[in-house]
Amino acid sequence: MASEMSGAEVYQSTCIECHGSGKFKAPVFGDTKRWGRLVREGLDDLVPAALGGFRKMPAKGGNPALSDTEVARAVIHMANAGGGRFSEPTPADLARWRAKANKRGKK
């Protein structure tokens, strides 16, 4: 959707709070060592964690107004700054990641 924010915009509006400084031990934007490990784990782990929350990170980085697409774009933006080479998520990717996030939340 054209009105949705880019990954960089979501990072600047929401994610920078922790990923800009390492607050709560969040991997800092551009830290290729920390992000490199996460990039190797892949988006099938990273995006569902961002959608549903992980450790001290709340779901959608604490911004429930974000769409799943915007959250995925932000994860991709941060992962790519850390050495990843991921592209825009497809509708199939988004559906798979939402299902995984929902399943994680039921544990």
Side-chain angles (χ1 to χ4, degrees), residues 35-43 46 79-80 82-86:
W35 277 101
R37 182 180 58 79
L38 298 171
V39 164
R40 285 188 297 279
E41 288 177 17
L43 296 179
L46 289 174
N80 286 350
R85 292 180 174 227
F86 301 111

Side-chain angles (χ1 to χ4, degrees), residues 55-68:
R55 294 188 182 132
K56 292 194 178 207
M57 181 180 70
K60 296 186 176 186
N63 186 350
L66 293 173
S67 71
D68 287 0

Side-chain angles (χ1 to χ4, degrees), residues 11-101:
Y11 172 77
Q12 287 297 322
S13 71
T14 302
C15 310
I16 197 169
E17 172 71 22
C18 296
H19 291 283
S21 65
K23 183 178 181 182
F24 301 125
K25 299 184 181 180
V28 175
F29 184 83
D31 180 342
T32 56
K33 185 174 183 180
R34 292 270 316 274
W35 277 101
R37 182 180 58 79
L38 298 171
V39 164
R40 285 188 297 279
E41 288 177 17
L43 296 179
D44 282 344
D45 287 330
L46 289 174
V47 176
L51 290 172
F54 185 71
R55 294 188 182 132
K56 292 194 178 207
M57 181 180 70
K60 296 186 176 186
N63 186 350
L66 293 173
S67 71
D68 287 0
T69 301
E70 289 170 319
V71 172
R73 286 176 178 160
V75 171
I76 290 167
H77 175 70
M78 290 186 285
N80 286 350
R85 292 180 174 227
F86 301 111
S87 57
E88 179 77 5
T90 66
D93 292 332
L94 294 166
R96 182 174 69 254
W97 296 333
R98 171 45 62 197
K100 284 188 83 167

